[in-house]
Amino acid sequence: MNFPKRASPQRKLTVDFGSEVGTLHTSAQVTNYREDELVGRLVVGAVNLGTKRIAGFVSEFLVLGRGRPD
């Protein structure tokens, strides 16, 4: 979902990390993928870093990424 309160292009992401961690939310600058391309993808995230409020949204983990493979 797009995140209109941010000045730079951000998306709200919800990721299920399984039964031990659960479902967490974050805000990320995702510019290499359309929204429909993100659903069902495998991601790497740093959890247990605490929470941060970003433009009224609570971010619970840091999603790691890279550009599209060539």
Side-chain angles (χ1 to χ4, degrees):
M1 163 192 322
N2 287 329
F3 198 4
K5 291 187 178 183
R6 293 284 303 168
S8 59
Q10 299 278 320
R11 295 195 186 273
K12 291 180 183 178
L13 303 177
T14 301
V15 176
D16 183 354
F17 286 102
S19 60
E20 286 190 40
V21 176
T23 300
L24 300 177
H25 307 279
T26 194
S27 171
Q29 189 171 352
V30 180
T31 59
N32 295 331
Y33 296 94
R34 294 186 321 265
E35 186 173 342
D36 63 315
E37 292 179 303
L38 294 172
V39 176
R41 293 190 71 92
L42 182 67
V43 299
V44 176
V47 299
N48 295 330
L49 301 174
T51 60
K52 182 171 178 99
R53 185 169 291 278
I54 302 170
F57 178 77
V58 177
S59 182
E60 301 171 305
F61 74 98
L62 175 66
V63 66
L64 306 175
R66 65 181 286 280
R68 286 186 184 271
D70 292 343

